[in-house]
Amino acid sequence: MSKYSAAASAVLALSLLAVPGLTQEEEAAPVTAEGTQTVDPAALPSGEACDYPVDLLWHREPTEGDAPWAMGVSVKNKSSGQQVPGLSEPHFRLLLDGVQASTDAPFKVNQSARAFLSAETPEGEAPRTGVDPINYDVYFAVDMTASMGGEIQVEGAKAATKLNFALRVVRALVLPAKQGASALFDDQDRVYISGFTSRLETGFMDSTTTDRNKILEALNDMNSVETTGDSAALYASVMHNLTNIQARATEYSSSEKKREAVLIVLTDSFNGMDLEGRRSLRTCDKNDPLTDQVQQAIFDTQKATDGNLKVYFLGIGSESEPKYYSQSEPPNRRCRITTVEKETLDGRSLRVVGNPEITRGGYYANDNPRALMSFVQGQFEALKSAYEVQYKAPEGVSRPRSFQVIVSVGEKVCTDLEVLASNIIPTARAKGVDTTASEVAVFLAGLLITLLFVPRSLSNLVTLGGGGGSAPARKKKKRKRRK
C-alpha cells in the first residue's frame, strides 16, 4: 500500500475542520478530574455561553435497594442545534452537593431518545422531544455491477439480489413504511439517486427532489435494469456526487438555511475504473493513488460546505484476505481486482476514504443489508437523542440539594446546575411587597417560636403561681343564725 501520499497526510493533519458534530480528536480530550472535590459553578460556562450547551433534563434517586441513581442530560451543538453524538463516560462528571460522584461502576452513559421523554414538562410548555433541525440533501450511489445480481438470503425475507436489497435500504431511508409514518429522511429532505456499473448510471433522476413519487419511480427503474460489468466505476460515482454537492456548496455553508449534504454509497465491489469511469484497472495497487485523490476530494468538499457533509460507504459483504490481498498491508503486484473482489470487500481502501474524521460518516460492512440501514439510522437518531447517565451517590451524600453535571467536548467544557428549593421555609413570592425573602424568613422563624413556646410559658406561670399572678380566692363559710 502506498503511504497514501502527501495529500492523505495533509488531509489527516487538517481533518479537524470547524465542523458540527464530534470528531475523534474531541473524543480524546475529556475532563479527567479524579476523586472528590468542590467546584465553583460560577467558574464554568453554562447555557448559551457554551459552544456545546448542557441541559440537566431530570434526575432520579431510588429510595430503596442498591439501584443506581440516574440523570438525563442534553448536550447540543450550538451551531447546528443537534445533539452531540458519541459522548461516553469520560466526557461526563457529576457533582452532588459539590462532591463528585465516582466514575466506577455503575457509572454508565448511554444516548437514548427516552432521555427526552422522561423529562417533566413545565406547565404551559410543549413536551420536550428530540428534534433534528437540519434539512438534508441525500445523494445515493448504488452499485449495479454484475456481482450485485447475485442472490443473498436475509433472515425474515425471501432470497433476492443484492441490488434489490440495496434499493430496499434506500427506500426505507427516504419513504415511510406506511401511511402517516415518517422516514428517517422526510419530505422536507431532498433526494438524488444514481448508480454505477463500469460507467456512471445517472439517467434515473435529473436532480435532487422532495417528490416521493419521482423517488419511487427512480427506484423501480433501477430495480428493473439488468446488472452488468466486472469493473466498478465506484470512485467515479463518488466524484460525480461530490461535484454535484460542491455546485450547491453555498446552500450547505449557509448558517441560515440549516441544510446539509449526505452521500451514501452502497457497494459489494473494489473500485475498478479510473476517476472518469473510462479506463479499467487490473491490479489492486493501481487503486492507491486514486484512493488518495478521492479522500482529498471529500476533504475539499467538506471545506466548501463549511463541514456540512456526511459520507457513508456501506459494504454489502464481509472482509477476508484471499491470496495476494491484505486488509492492512500494501497489495501484492499479483493481486487482481476482478479476482479478489469475488471473495472480499476492499476494506483497506474503503476505511481510508470513509475515515470518519473526514467524512463525518464512516465505512461499515455487513452481509445483512438491514444492518447497514441500522448503522445509518443509528447515527442520525443520535443527533436528536439526549444522554442517560447512571451513577452511584458519593459517600455520605444521601439527600443532595444540588445536582451539577459537567460535560467536556474536546477542550470545550460546559455545565448545568440544579439547586432544589428548601422544603423547610418556603420562599415568599408576593407582588407589590418590598420585604426581602430573608426578612420574611426571619419573621416566619420568629412566628414559629412564638407559636411553639409562648402558650406553654403562660401555662407554666399559671400553674406555679409565680411571676405576679394572684392566688385563687377562698370561699367564705356561712354562719348559722341563732334562734
Side-chain angles (χ1 to χ4, degrees), residues 116 163 405:
F116 277 114
L163 175 60
V405 57

Side-chain angles (χ1 to χ4, degrees), residues 217-232:
E217 184 180 341
L219 290 172
N220 289 335
D221 288 346
M222 187 174 285
N223 192 48
S224 65
V225 172
E226 184 178 354
T227 56
T228 184
D230 294 327
S231 299

Side-chain angles (χ1 to χ4, degrees), residues 370-381:
R370 290 175 179 171
L372 304 179
M373 180 179 67
S374 297
F375 171 70
V376 176
Q377 286 178 323
Q379 294 214 1
F380 279 88
E381 287 297 327

Side-chain angles (χ1 to χ4, degrees), residues 4 10 25 32-33 56 62 95 123 155 226 280 284 295 309 312 369 420 431 469:
Y4 282 108
E25 178 176 310
T32 56
L56 200 168
L95 295 100
E123 188 175 350
E155 186 177 354
E226 184 178 354
S280 63
C284 302
Q295 188 186 57
L309 167 70
Y312 295 89
L420 301 184
K431 292 183 179 180

Side-chain angles (χ1 to χ4, degrees), residues 167-457:
L167 296 178
R168 292 186 201 182
V169 170
V170 177
R171 179 182 176 125
L173 292 174
V174 301
L175 293 171
K178 54 186 176 181
Q179 192 69 25
S182 178
L184 178 66
F185 300 109
D186 58 32
D187 55 11
Q188 300 299 311
D189 301 320
R190 301 185 297 213
V191 175
Y192 174 74
I193 303 172
S194 64
F196 58 91
T197 54
S198 294
R199 63 179 187 176
L200 294 177
E201 303 290 347
T202 60
F204 303 103
M205 296 182 71
D206 296 327
S207 62
T208 58
T209 182
T210 59
D211 188 333
R212 265 44 195 173
N213 289 327
K214 289 185 177 180
I215 295 170
L216 183 59
E217 184 180 341
L219 290 172
N220 289 335
D221 288 346
M222 187 174 285
N223 192 48
S224 65
V225 172
E226 184 178 354
T227 56
T228 184
D230 294 327
S231 299
L234 169 60
Y235 285 171
S237 182
V238 173
M239 297 295 282
H240 164 72
N241 283 280
L242 291 177
T243 299
N244 288 339
I245 292 170
Q246 287 202 32
R248 286 185 165 177
T250 54
E251 289 188 45
Y252 308 129
S253 60
S254 170
S255 59
E256 297 178 356
K257 292 188 177 182
K258 296 287 185 183
R259 184 167 287 277
E260 187 169 275
V262 180
L263 171 57
I264 300 176
V265 182
L266 294 106
T267 184
D268 74 337
S269 307
F270 275 56
N271 178 64
M273 301 293 292
D274 63 15
L275 298 186
E276 288 74 34
R278 296 174 181 172
R279 183 174 60 85
S280 63
L281 311 176
R282 291 184 61 195
T283 57
C284 302
D285 60 333
K286 300 297 183 182
N287 255 327
D288 281 4
L290 303 185
T291 301
D292 294 341
Q293 292 179 54
V294 172
Q295 188 186 57
Q296 180 65 51
I298 294 173
F299 178 77
D300 292 341
T301 310
Q302 286 284 17
K303 191 173 181 179
T305 60
D306 198 22
N308 291 310
L309 167 70
K310 292 184 175 72
V311 183
Y312 295 89
F313 290 89
L314 306 181
I316 304 175
S318 58
E319 296 179 359
S320 63
E321 295 193 344
K323 190 175 182 180
Y324 302 129
Y325 174 81
S326 168
Q327 293 288 345
S328 57
E329 299 298 322
N332 189 298
R333 290 184 179 180
R334 296 183 180 181
C335 177
R336 296 291 184 269
I337 292 175
T338 54
T339 300
V340 298
E341 71 176 353
K342 294 176 182 178
E343 300 182 49
T344 181
L345 288 167
D346 187 9
R348 176 177 164 274
S349 299
L350 293 176
R351 271 190 295 274
V352 173
V353 293
N355 181 354
E357 288 188 351
I358 303 171
T359 61
R360 297 180 59 240
Y363 157 65
Y364 181 67
N366 200 291
D367 290 308
N368 187 344
R370 290 175 179 171
L372 304 179
M373 180 179 67
S374 297
F375 171 70
V376 176
Q377 286 178 323
Q379 294 214 1
F380 279 88
E381 287 297 327
L383 297 173
K384 53 184 178 181
S385 300
Y387 290 86
E388 288 187 5
V389 185
Q390 293 185 352
Y391 62 100
K392 182 179 180 180
E395 193 72 28
V397 178
S398 59
R399 299 184 65 184
R401 309 305 302 167
S402 72
F403 296 79
Q404 183 178 20
V405 57
I406 302 171
V407 180
S408 68
V409 180
E411 296 180 356
K412 305 293 184 180
V413 182
C414 189
T415 188
D416 192 25
L417 172 69
E418 179 179 334
V419 180
L420 301 184
S422 172
N423 58 7
I424 299 174
I425 302 176
T427 303
R429 297 181 182 276
K431 292 183 179 180
V433 178
D434 293 330
T435 308
T436 64
S438 60
E439 290 171 336
V440 173
V442 171
F443 169 75
L444 291 175
L447 182 61
L448 184 64
I449 292 172
T450 301
L451 293 174
L452 290 175
F453 296 106
V454 171
R456 183 178 297 176
S457 299

Side-chain angles (χ1 to χ4, degrees), residues 57 113 115-131:
L57 301 172
F116 277 114
L117 299 177
S118 300
E120 292 185 5
T121 304
E123 188 175 350
E125 292 186 12
R128 299 192 196 202
T129 55
V131 177

